[in-house]
């Protein structure tokens, strides 16, 4: 009798621990990914984020002419609603750019305009599918680019506030693709400071950071590399919570985004292989931290995020699509 009671208690304790444990630890690492189109018709999308009700938020660079850069919300059923438009859209060296990446946290949406160096913060807690767009002028903004340029980190001076994440202290950490730096923004007062400088990936070749995540103990940063985008030059850098920079993994090519698997391992995207005619058709890839190909033949991907369970969402700049990836 005592033995059976002991066994029952052991089972109950096990079930309790199981119920209280993050289920992510039971998710396997992806070995390969399958892809299906979730939404089409985006105008040169750059950044992707998800909120706590499984809506996706996406930035679109626009036409390259005027002010048609935008941010939109997409419901789990694929219904798109424009949240804000009127953001400057630029054509530079054959690519349309301007607005950069975005992120959601506790009812607020944060998005960067890389070319203008502006961080926007919007309360989206009451925004619903089908609502009218809000006015850009009504969204809080902060100038990040002027501070970056004041540091004089590159010659000529350059700034492109491109992506960000939140650290263990809830401060924001912004990567600047122009100055190859990580900028810390204080959560209380918005004060800016230089947190880390990303070194060149090769002699005379700048890193050009494109994505940043925090894995619970360190920051991981993907890099595009500067022209001529040589195969194998790109790296994943790691940055400690004190700002110390080291190489995490090497021998990648033109990385334009990074996310984390269920077990906090980096998953990165290759934008493409650059040649005499530009980026080769369908030379984009999704890769694990060891460079293993999880998905091939992609058209210039620009962002990847993890969804629920064994899913990821992937942006294609060239195709104007969001794809749902499964394993």
């Amino acid at each position: 009798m005592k033995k059976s009671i002991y066994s029952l208690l052991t089972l109950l304790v096990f079930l309790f621990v199981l119920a209280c444990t993050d289920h992510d630890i039971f998710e396997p690492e992806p070995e390969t990914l399958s892809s299906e189109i979730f939404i089409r018709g985006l105008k040169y999308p750059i950044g992707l984020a998800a909120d706590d009700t499984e809506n996706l938020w996406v930035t679109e660079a626009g036409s390259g002419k005027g002010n048609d850069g935008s941010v939109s919300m997409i419901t789990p059923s694929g219904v798109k609603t424009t949240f804000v438009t009127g953001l400057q859209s630029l054509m530079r060296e054959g690519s349309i750019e301007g607005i950069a990446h975005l992120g959601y946290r506790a009812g607020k949406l944060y998005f960067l305009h890389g070319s203008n160096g502006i961080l926007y913060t919007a309360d989206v807690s009451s925004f619903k599918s089908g609502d009218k767009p809000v006015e850009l002028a009504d969204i809080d903004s902060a100038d990040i680019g002027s501070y970056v340029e004041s540091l004089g980190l590159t010659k000529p001076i350059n700034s492109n506030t491109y992506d960000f994440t939140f650290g263990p202290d809830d401060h924001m950490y912004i990567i600047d693709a122009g100055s190859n730096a990580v900028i810390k923004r204080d959560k209380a007062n918005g004060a800016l400071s230089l947190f880390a400088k990303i070194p060149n990936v090769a002699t005379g070749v700048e890193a050009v950071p494109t994505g940043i995540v925090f894995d619970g103990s360190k920051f991981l940063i993907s890099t595009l590399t500067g022209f001529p985008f040589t195969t194998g030059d790109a790296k994943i850098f790691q940055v400690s919570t004190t700002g110390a920079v080291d190489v995490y993994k090497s021998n990648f090519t033109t990385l334009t985004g990074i996310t984390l698997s269920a077990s906090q391992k980096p998953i990165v995207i290759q934008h493409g292989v650059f040649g005499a005619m530009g980026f080769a058709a369908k030379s984009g890839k999704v890769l694990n931290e060891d460079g293993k190909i999880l998905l091939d033949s992609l058209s210039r991907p620009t962002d990847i995020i993890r969804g629920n369970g064994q899913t990821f969402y992937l942006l294609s700049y060239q195709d104007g699509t969001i794809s749902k990836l499964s394993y």
Side-chain angles (χ1 to χ4, degrees):
M1 182 68 178
K2 289 182 179 180
K3 183 177 181 180
S4 63
I5 291 174
Y6 176 81
S7 299
L8 178 60
L9 289 173
T10 301
L11 177 61
L12 289 173
V13 169
F14 172 77
L15 292 174
F16 176 79
V17 171
L18 182 64
C20 295
T21 303
D22 186 347
H23 291 285
D24 280 351
I25 66 171
F26 299 107
E27 297 288 357
E29 287 293 299
E31 296 294 330
T32 186
L33 293 166
S34 61
S35 175
E36 60 177 328
I37 300 295
F38 176 65
I39 191 169
R40 302 178 185 271
L42 303 176
K43 294 182 179 179
Y44 299 101
I46 300 293
L48 189 62
D51 64 24
D52 49 18
T53 57
E54 299 184 42
N55 295 310
L56 298 180
W57 296 79
V58 61
T59 58
E60 297 174 75
S63 65
K65 304 173 183 177
N67 298 303
D68 61 349
S70 63
V71 180
S72 296
M73 183 188 80
I74 303 167
T75 66
S77 62
V79 177
K80 178 186 173 187
T81 300
T82 299
F83 173 69
V84 66
T85 189
L87 292 138
Q88 186 180 26
S89 179
L90 304 168
M91 177 71 77
R92 288 184 175 172
E93 299 178 355
S95 292
I96 297 170
E97 58 183 66
I99 194 169
H101 286 259
L102 77 172
Y104 173 90
R105 190 177 179 90
K108 291 185 177 180
L109 189 72
Y110 304 84
F111 56 97
L112 290 163
H113 194 286
S115 301
N116 293 341
I118 302 297
L119 169 68
Y120 293 94
T121 303
D123 186 339
V124 297
S125 58
S126 61
F127 188 79
K128 306 181 302 299
S129 179
D131 283 355
K132 293 181 180 180
V134 303
E135 295 293 330
L136 181 62
D138 293 335
I139 298 176
D140 289 342
S141 62
D143 182 0
I144 309 297
S146 293
Y147 170 76
V148 176
E149 291 179 355
S150 75
L151 298 175
L153 298 174
T154 56
K155 293 182 180 180
I157 292 174
N158 191 9
S159 174
N160 186 346
T161 47
Y162 198 69
D163 197 8
F164 65 90
T165 192
F166 291 93
D169 45 16
D170 288 332
H171 300 304
M172 181 182 286
Y173 294 81
I174 303 169
I175 53 170
D176 191 286
S179 65
N180 306 295
V182 184
I183 305 300
K184 179 180 176 181
R185 184 173 190 262
D186 190 274
K187 66 178 179 180
N189 56 22
L192 302 173
S193 59
L194 176 63
F195 180 68
K197 183 75 168 68
I198 309 301
N200 288 353
V201 294
T203 302
V205 180
E206 295 184 12
V208 189
T210 53
I212 182 170
V213 292
F214 182 69
D215 71 359
S217 63
K218 62 185 177 298
F219 298 93
L220 295 166
I221 295 173
S222 59
T223 58
L224 176 71
T225 71
F227 185 82
F229 312 115
T230 304
T231 298
D233 267 1
K235 295 176 170 61
I236 303 173
F237 286 92
Q238 63 180 27
V239 183
S240 73
T241 55
T242 60
V245 181
D246 291 292
V247 174
Y248 180 78
K249 296 282 184 175
S250 299
N251 200 31
F252 292 93
T253 302
T254 63
L255 299 182
T256 49
I258 184 169
T259 191
L260 295 171
S261 70
S263 55
Q264 303 296 288
K265 298 291 186 181
I267 304 290
V268 294
I269 47 175
Q270 173 181 300
H271 194 62
V273 176
F274 193 80
M277 303 301 291
F279 287 100
K282 294 190 178 299
S283 58
K285 306 177 190 296
V286 180
L287 307 157
N288 71 8
E289 65 171 10
D290 297 316
K292 179 181 178 179
I293 299 172
L294 306 180
L295 186 64
D296 208 347
S297 302
L298 304 176
S299 296
R300 299 184 66 179
T302 46
D303 205 2
I304 185 170
I305 62 171
R306 184 169 169 254
N308 290 329
Q310 297 179 4
T311 62
F312 295 88
Y313 289 94
L314 178 76
L315 274 186
S316 169
Y317 174 86
Q318 183 168 314
D319 293 344
T321 59
I322 299 174
S323 296
K324 184 177 181 180
L325 312 184
S326 305
Y327 68 98

